[in-house]
Amino acid sequence: MEATASMDPNSITVLVTFVGGPADGLTEHRPLAEATGKATIDGVTYRGNPGPPPEVKDTPEGLAQVMKPE
């Protein structure tokens, strides 16, 4: 897919996996802004390390960016 100026940035997702806390083991697609910033699940704030290079983990769904509790 070719990126264009009219592409909605919220339509871009990243596969993330949560390590630790209540979401431990959860792997899902999250919006790019959330994957490179913060996500809150069950009252716990998770943060990814976008790098460079980003911290990734091999999951059954493919390579996923790691998010850990703050």
Side-chain angles (χ1 to χ4, degrees):
M1 174 169 34
E2 186 174 320
T4 65
S6 63
M7 180 178 270
D8 178 10
N10 293 323
S11 68
I12 301 170
T13 62
V14 175
L15 186 63
V16 299
T17 189
F18 295 89
V19 177
D24 188 49
L26 176 66
T27 300
E28 63 186 16
H29 283 89
R30 290 285 181 137
L32 177 62
E34 208 173 276
T36 58
K38 297 180 185 181
T40 301
I41 298 177
D42 291 337
V44 176
T45 301
Y46 290 82
R47 181 181 292 277
N49 178 5
E55 182 180 0
V56 295
K57 181 179 180 181
D58 196 13
T59 71
E61 293 88 351
L63 282 180
Q65 182 168 319
V66 173
M67 295 190 84
K68 296 179 180 175
E70 288 190 315

